[in-house]
Amino acid sequence: MAAPSLSLSRTQLRWLEWLALAALLLGLVAWASLRHQPRVINTFVQDITGWLSAPQPRDDIVIVAIDDASLQSVGRWPWSRAVHAQLIARIAAQQPKALGVDVLFSEPDWQRPQDDAQLAQAIAQAGNVVLPVDWRMANVDIGAELPLPILRSAARQLGHVNVTVDDDGVIRRYFGAQGENTGPWPHFSIAMLCASGQSHPLCQGTQPPEAGEQWEQRSPEIFNFARGDRPYALYAAEDVLANRVPPDAFRSKYVLIGATASGLGDYFASPARPASRHIAGVELIAHALDSQLSDQHVHALSSSANLAVNLGAMVLALMAIALLGPMAGLIAQIATAALLLLLCLALRSFAGLQLAPGAALVGLLVIYPIWSWRRLSAAAQFLQQEMHNLRAALDTTSAPQRNGMLMDDFLERRIKAVETATDTLRQMHGFVRDTLRQIPSPTFVVDPLGMVSLHNAAAGRYLQDLGLPSQGLIAIQSALNGMRIKESGQVLSFANAEQLRELPAECEVLDRREHPWLLLAEAFRAPAPAGWLLMLVDLTELHKAMQQRDQALRFISHDFRSPQASIITLLEMYKEFPGQMSEAELHQKINRLAHQSLEMAESFVQLASAQSQAMQPQLLSIDVLLQEAVDDCWAKASEKKIQLRYLPGALEAAETDMACLGDRSLLQRCFTNLLTNAIKYSPSGTAVEASMADDGDYWLVRVRDHGFGMTQEQLDQLFQPFQRFHQSSQPQISGIGLGLSFVHTVVQRHQGFVTVTSAVNEGSCFSLHLPKASAAPPGLAARAA
């Protein structure tokens, strides 16, 4: 009872340890998830999923770049307001949907004041121009830096161009509106929508709001960068000024003017590619505008939902390592991480939601090594304890030898020690298994549930005879169904442990085929596992031996005593009535009865010798033995006026060597008995023929008579000892029924067999099949050698 208690305690300890580890890891993952940590892993995964789910760029967004070539052609920066006015006029002439100028005009042109008016006029004539709003820092106050009033009044919309720089210096987010809480300015991309005539709740116009008490940022969004290195059509400002662009390059499109020249304007690091590159501010506006126009917004998943996803992944991983094996647990961890990454991609692609899986990924990364370490430590302790138990059970103190070249670690020593002990157990198990298999009787090992856990070859053959599978899980109730106690007729049941415990230790039973068995049932004793050993001992041969014993006793008590009693009776009658019988007649009767008694004794002794005495095999000519037997029996046949003929056939004519390995005395007596039996049961005036034939691997010895014949029922009992079938119809024929039993026994001991054909009043034909010398069994040939 101690072992189950220890096992249960070990199991409870493992689950408590797992619960503690789960609580610790879930707490850490929750803390990190709520703080969007670790940021490095989160941003890396988000950048990759953003690149993989990048949408196709729109073809109605065009960038007019103030690039290096334009500066060389037009002149160094800043350009005059008149050049900007000309640029806007050239673009407006093609009637774009909206025109965004990402150039801040917050101070007047003191050298050429008329250029400000010219620029305002070009903006007003275009009618759909968006100008930028920037922010200035004064001590701790933040204020909007607006375009000149003359330009602001001419513009259609104003929009802020501020972006949020993450800790790693990469631009990933912007706010849809930003400014004082009385009227924050929309993002430049949203202002472009408003300038094209589309309605949006954040449209602000160009009038600055009233002074507010609080600065606020609304509608945070994540840049959804379009696919491609240069996704949008781009024309140089010099080409537009020189009218070297297609006539419909800007028609019905959203046009953005901005600086891309080196050292001019803002450049930001972007995650638009796995290998991040710097991107101009006007390009950021184009990507944001693309998202607004396509309605493909990307927002961060809420903190609660992000926490639920991270904790869910950890719970799956914790359950996997608790319920699965090491390899399956590792595969489950990898699969969970892969599913989490696929979920990130799916949310980004189809729902516009960005997940922060870093906390769960780190948890998945550390959970398996930690739990494996604990398992390894528990395994080492278990191996040490089991090694101690095994040594105690095997009564050995031998320890595994160490490798002289390499130093084994602690676990390796434990493994080697258990390996040595298990090898010993394996050998013992093999010995027990082989011993069980060699048992000639069907033997079953049954567990408490009534299932056969082990059986030997004899049991397998028994199951096959019943039409049951000999492999796989078998219920002992199916195997022994219908078995009943012979004396009482009680049907035995083997369905469960209680019924198995009620089985008698030893009883004679009959199976469903009425076959007799001795059932032996023994329960395993502690500390062995609960179970039973069931053995079926075949009683057929025992019953036959008991029947033969009874027949022998009847023979000794009746048949053998009968001649002796007759002799005593004759002597007493001769004394009492001397004149009724002559002395010669008395001697004749006593002589006949004595010979009859002697014949009985000799027949009994011959059968017993044929069944038990050691054979002396030698190379014999089977035809010569048969001829000698015919010669020996000729006198008896002549006395009864029966023709006894030997028919050599074609074998002797061909001078075939009819060799056989056998015991000369047994075979000669066998042939003589067979011929004597034929003569005895043949009427006078008939014939008995003896012949030889070739039957493949056997020599065929035939003895045919034309006597009384036998029925099929008599043929079935022909070779049983003490069987006499014509005692009532032919009482003058003497014998005790052992002659044919002797013939059958001798032929079987020579690895042959006997067949008989017979019909009533037509005679019988006995065929003895004896192996040829070349086909003799190895055991018989070895004894002859």
Side-chain angles (χ1 to χ4, degrees), residues 540-687:
T540 304
E541 295 300 325
L542 178 60
H543 285 179
K544 287 182 180 179
M546 293 175 64
Q547 185 179 6
Q548 292 177 1
R549 183 201 63 182
D550 294 340
Q551 290 174 341
L553 290 175
R554 283 197 302 270
F555 164 71
I556 294 172
S557 62
H558 181 266
D559 294 14
F560 191 70
R561 289 178 59 188
S562 180
Q564 311 299 325
S566 298
I567 293 173
I568 295 173
T569 302
L570 286 172
L571 291 173
E572 289 179 352
M573 288 178 62
Y574 183 76
K575 290 179 181 180
E576 293 289 336
F577 310 99
Q580 293 185 0
M581 184 185 307
S582 65
E583 186 175 350
E585 185 181 359
L586 175 64
H587 290 170
Q588 180 184 1
K589 290 183 178 181
I590 291 176
N591 183 62
R592 180 176 57 82
L593 292 172
H595 277 85
Q596 182 181 353
S597 178
L598 180 61
E599 182 183 355
M600 291 182 184
E602 285 181 351
S603 298
F604 189 79
V605 172
Q606 287 173 2
L607 178 60
S609 299
Q611 292 174 342
S612 60
Q613 77 175 13
M615 291 178 57
Q616 302 296 326
Q618 55 183 302
L619 195 62
L620 305 172
S621 293
I622 199 75
D623 56 329
V624 174
L625 286 179
L626 183 57
Q627 180 66 58
E628 291 177 356
V630 170
D631 294 341
D632 292 341
C633 296
W634 181 84
K636 289 184 179 181
S638 298
E639 182 182 351
K640 202 173 179 182
K641 297 181 181 180
I642 293 175
Q643 294 184 9
L644 179 58
R645 296 194 293 262
Y646 173 61
L647 306 177
L651 293 177
E652 282 194 354
E655 296 184 356
T656 304
D657 183 15
M658 289 174 280
C660 173
L661 279 176
D663 189 300
R664 181 181 182 86
S665 62
L666 289 179
L667 285 177
Q668 191 169 25
R669 184 63 182 173
C670 171
F671 295 160
T672 301
N673 278 14
L674 191 58
L675 290 169
T676 302
N677 188 78
I679 295 170
K680 183 185 299 184
Y681 289 96
S682 296
S684 300
T686 60

Side-chain angles (χ1 to χ4, degrees), residues 28-103:
L28 292 175
V29 168
W31 176 85
S33 179
L34 291 174
R35 287 161 178 76
H36 301 283
Q37 297 290 341
R39 296 189 185 276
V40 174
I41 296 178
N42 283 334
T43 54
F44 176 77
V45 173
Q46 292 164 356
D47 292 347
I48 295 297
T49 55
W51 174 66
L52 293 175
S53 63
Q56 294 295 331
R58 295 175 64 93
D59 58 1
D60 57 352
I61 298 176
V62 180
I63 296 176
V64 176
I66 304 173
D67 54 8
D68 294 327
S70 299
L71 293 179
Q72 291 179 0
S73 174
V74 178
R76 67 176 187 173
W77 193 262
W79 290 346
S80 67
R81 306 288 167 84
V83 174
H84 290 289
Q86 183 182 0
L87 183 61
I88 292 173
R90 295 276 189 186
I91 298 171
Q94 294 190 12
Q95 298 180 351
K97 287 186 178 180
L99 175 58
V101 182
D102 186 21
V103 180

Side-chain angles (χ1 to χ4, degrees), residues 14 166 187 193 219 229 232 279 320 325 388 400 431 471 529 542 563 589 591 629 654 656 658 720:
R14 185 169 67 89
D166 288 342
H187 188 262
L193 265 68
S219 302
D229 188 36
Y232 305 108
I279 187 172
H388 176 74
F431 172 76
Q471 302 294 332
L542 178 60
K589 290 183 178 181
N591 183 62
T656 304
M658 289 174 280
Q720 295 182 12

Side-chain angles (χ1 to χ4, degrees), residues 681 708 724 726-734:
Y681 289 96
F708 309 116
R724 297 180 63 193
H726 301 286
Q727 190 172 6
S728 58
S729 61
Q730 305 292 332
Q732 74 279 6
I733 300 176
S734 62

Side-chain angles (χ1 to χ4, degrees), residues 153-164:
S153 60
R156 181 71 177 271
Q157 290 287 333
L158 299 182
H160 79 85
V161 293
N162 281 70
V163 292
T164 302

